[in-house]
Amino acid sequence: MSTLNSTPQGERIHIALFGKTNVGKSSIINALTGQNIALVSEIKGTTTDPVYKAMELLPLGPVMIIDTAGLDDETTLGELRKKKTIEVLNKTNIALLVVNAETGLTPYDKEICSEIKGKNIPIIGIINKIDKIDVQKLNIEKYKKELGISFIPVSAATNTGISELKAEIINSVPENEDKFKIVGDLISPGDFVVLVTPIDKAAPKGRLILPQQQTIRDVLESDAMAVVTKEFELRETLNDLGKKPKLVITDSQVFLKVAADTPKDILMTSFSILMARYKGNLTELVRGAKAIENLKDGDKILIAEACTHHRQSDDIGKVKIPRWLRQKTGKQLEFDFASGFSFPDNITDYALIVHCAGCMLNRKAMLYRIDEAVKQNVPIVNYGVLIAYVQGILPRALKPFPMANRIFNTAKH
């Protein structure tokens, strides 16, 4: 299956396995999927850093399975691995805690169970390797009582209990996982939606960037019609439609031209603002935009991106946003840059965090980042909201979202 047609990582349910080294986490992954996709070895600590594998787990559908390192490595390197394992919780939708039936519960199991519960993540206990013990002597109630979670006895070697485990995983999927739409709740069947998609140099040849692909899919799933055009053809496209579109959605980088060419009686927003609502918390990101008014000389700004890509000479994160912020504020600002799945610990060093749309993150991971910023009293905004703000058109771009619009008009910093 090609990358273009496969379900993006950020749209998959993330299922992570935790436990001591050599309890059989990788073997369980292989048993769940019916494939030998995870390295299995009797050598302790075969899995080091978290391993991500996108797959279909029927009948649930596309999921991301995360195999984490064991928590009982007491070396300096082991502490780093443990930190990486704990970080996985920030994007985990369902946690599987694997225990060795031969050794029973350990302090490490209790520690990670407490961490998982602290983040309100659905958790399933797995007692693995029951083929190596006398099952008649297995006291599952004791496990349940000690950790306060349900346990399923399995053998990855013989496939015993794997069907029951799959059923429990499906039953544990949070009810709101498919609730969020990119644009579907803003339109009705039969509506026209015009999408303005300049050809992004950072997108692989022959492809649109991911938020554009996802939005088109959401429009079609809503039984509406997607009309795709570039910014220079927008005015002609609107004239030729013969019907007023319900919404114009643009790439943030051509916001000003699209705003000028779109009649005031047509709602207009951006892919990035839609993603801010879909993946995160639009109202908090709008509050973050208001904080730009209070930036001072010497303030540090963090530009955070969830993906890594080859940066162009006019890269939006590295070049354009710092330039726009300096022009808007007239201040001498300092900029740091972070990319990938790790989020910096020292965010209190910053007067503002500017985050990408988060299309490579699942909703849970993006919400974690926003919540951490709010908790530490650091304003956070995303690319699309910031661009609309510095270009003076954020109120118009927020008209499809009355609550966020009210926040922008009333928030004080």
Side-chain angles (χ1 to χ4, degrees):
M1 182 179 290
S2 71
T3 302
L4 185 61
N5 291 322
S6 60
T7 302
Q9 175 172 325
E11 300 301 299
R12 294 172 179 264
I13 300 293
H14 283 46
I15 303 170
L17 289 87
F18 301 91
K20 284 184 61 178
T21 54
N22 217 29
V23 295
K25 298 187 291 294
S26 300
S27 297
I28 287 175
I29 290 175
N30 291 341
L32 278 171
T33 61
Q35 306 173 55
N36 291 320
I37 60 168
L39 178 62
V40 175
S41 172
E42 291 299 321
I43 300 173
K44 190 174 182 179
T46 301
T47 302
T48 53
D49 291 332
V51 176
Y52 295 75
K53 183 65 180 178
M55 65 186 64
E56 297 283 325
L57 184 59
L58 298 177
L60 187 57
V63 298
M64 179 67 70
I65 300 284
I66 310 172
D67 189 7
T68 67
L71 297 173
D72 50 330
D73 184 344
E74 301 292 349
T75 65
T76 302
L77 183 57
E79 282 300 310
L80 293 175
R81 291 171 178 165
K82 179 178 176 180
K83 182 181 178 182
K84 290 286 187 183
T85 294
I86 297 299
E87 282 180 358
V88 166
L89 289 174
N90 298 328
K91 64 190 75 171
T92 298
N93 300 113
I94 301 171
L96 308 182
L97 174 59
V98 186
V99 177
N100 189 337
E102 294 180 284
T103 57
L105 290 172
T106 70
Y108 303 103
D109 302 317
K110 296 174 183 178
E111 178 185 356
I112 190 62
C113 185
S114 176
E115 292 274 0
I116 296 168
K117 285 183 174 181
K119 293 183 178 291
N120 297 314
I121 299 169
I123 178 171
I124 302 169
I126 301 171
I127 306 171
N128 191 27
K129 304 187 180 182
I130 61 170
D131 54 301
K132 296 188 176 183
I133 65 167
D134 182 352
V135 181
Q136 300 298 323
K137 296 181 180 179
L138 181 62
N139 188 348
I140 298 178
E141 289 303 317
K142 181 182 177 183
Y143 285 82
K144 290 181 179 179
K145 185 175 181 180
E146 284 201 47
L147 293 189
I149 63 173
S150 62
F151 277 88
I152 297 175
V154 307
S155 167
T158 65
N159 259 7
T160 303
I162 296 300
S163 295
E164 290 80 0
L165 176 57
K166 280 186 181 180
E168 188 63 24
I169 291 172
I170 292 166
N171 291 335
S172 298
V173 174
E175 291 182 1
N176 63 354
E177 282 307 310
D178 62 353
K179 163 181 161 184
F180 300 98
K181 291 181 178 290
I182 299 173
V183 70
D185 60 321
L186 302 176
I187 58 180
S188 303
D191 281 342
F192 278 100
V193 180
V194 175
L195 301 102
V196 184
T197 58
I199 302 303
D200 194 314
K201 293 179 183 177
K205 188 174 178 61
R207 301 186 203 166
L208 298 174
I209 61 174
L210 187 56
Q212 295 168 359
Q213 295 177 37
Q214 292 175 293
T215 304
I216 292 170
R217 172 64 184 262
D218 202 35
V219 170
L220 297 178
E221 285 189 344
S222 303
D223 297 323
M225 288 165 277
V227 179
V228 183
T229 185
K230 291 194 295 185
E231 65 272 32
F232 300 108
E233 288 78 37
L234 173 60
R235 190 186 295 270
E236 183 180 354
T237 300
L238 293 174
N239 289 335
D240 291 348
L241 267 181
K243 177 182 177 180
K244 187 169 74 172
K246 180 66 175 289
L247 183 65
V248 171
I249 305 169
T250 180
D251 185 285
S252 298
Q253 298 187 62
V254 292
F255 237 145
L256 282 177
K257 176 164 180 54
V258 171
D261 290 349
T262 302
K264 292 289 191 291
D265 61 341
I266 297 176
L267 292 173
M268 181 205 71
T269 192
S270 74
F271 293 103
S272 189
I273 289 175
L274 288 172
M275 293 300 289
R277 185 183 72 127
Y278 176 61
K279 285 294 181 76
N281 185 330
L282 179 57
T283 55
E284 283 300 335
L285 298 174
V286 168
R287 287 191 179 97
K290 292 288 287 185
I292 294 170
E293 300 169 5
N294 296 328
L295 292 177
K296 306 182 295 296
D297 286 331
D299 277 346
K300 293 177 66 176
I301 314 295
L302 174 66
I303 309 290
E305 293 188 337
C307 61
T308 54
H309 61 268
H310 177 67
R311 296 192 184 277
Q312 307 293 323
S313 58
D314 60 345
D315 186 80
I316 185 169
K318 194 80 172 180
V319 179
K320 290 183 176 179
I321 286 177
R323 182 174 71 237
W324 287 329
L325 278 174
R326 289 185 178 115
Q327 290 173 343
K328 178 70 176 178
T329 63
K331 305 298 182 183
Q332 296 297 316
L333 305 172
E334 298 179 21
F335 292 89
D336 288 342
F337 303 90
S339 61
F341 292 139
S342 293
F343 195 54
D345 295 326
N346 61 329
I347 60 174
T348 53
D349 293 349
Y350 299 102
L352 179 69
I353 298 171
V354 183
H355 206 289
C356 69
C359 57
M360 295 302 293
L361 298 175
N362 65 350
R363 178 173 168 80
K364 183 175 180 63
M366 190 66 207
L367 282 173
Y368 163 75
R369 295 183 177 200
I370 295 172
D371 290 346
E372 278 298 298
V374 172
K375 191 187 306 179
Q376 298 184 48
N377 201 30
V378 180
I380 183 169
V381 64
N382 88 333
Y383 284 11
V385 174
L386 178 140
I387 293 169
Y389 175 79
V390 298
Q391 295 183 348
I393 53 176
L394 184 55
R396 183 177 181 189
L398 291 177
K399 278 188 178 179
F401 320 104
M403 183 179 297
N405 208 1
R406 282 197 301 273
I407 290 293
F408 177 75
N409 290 324
T410 58
K412 300 293 182 184
H413 287 275

